Amino acid sequence: MNSYSFIFLCKQSGTDIRKTVAAKGGCVGFALELASKEAVSEFGTNNIYLESFSFSNL
């Protein structure tokens, strides 16, 4: 199973806020879906952008 780290960006009140979300999955699409749902929950808005991601297959 692969481990992914996604960095999401949200602009709130003119400020850039970044959050790193870790997820695991067999494919990047599934992991991204899980991570984006978590990021939306943490930011409180769905107006977010994926800034970068990395993965490892340990």
Side-chain angles (χ1 to χ4, degrees):
M1 184 168 294
N2 297 328
S3 296
Y4 300 91
S5 178
F6 299 95
I7 299 176
F8 292 96
L9 171 68
C10 180
K11 296 187 180 226
Q12 294 180 343
S13 303
T15 303
D16 291 350
I17 301 171
R18 289 174 177 80
K19 291 199 183 287
T20 302
V21 180
K24 291 186 178 186
C27 69
V28 68
F30 180 70
L32 177 57
E33 181 181 357
L34 293 176
S36 63
K37 287 179 181 177
E38 184 176 332
V40 165
S41 176
E42 287 185 20
F43 282 123
T45 180
N46 63 356
N47 189 19
I48 62 174
Y49 303 90
L50 177 62
E51 186 172 62
S52 66
F53 79 96
S54 62
F55 74 97
S56 65
N57 57 357
L58 300 175

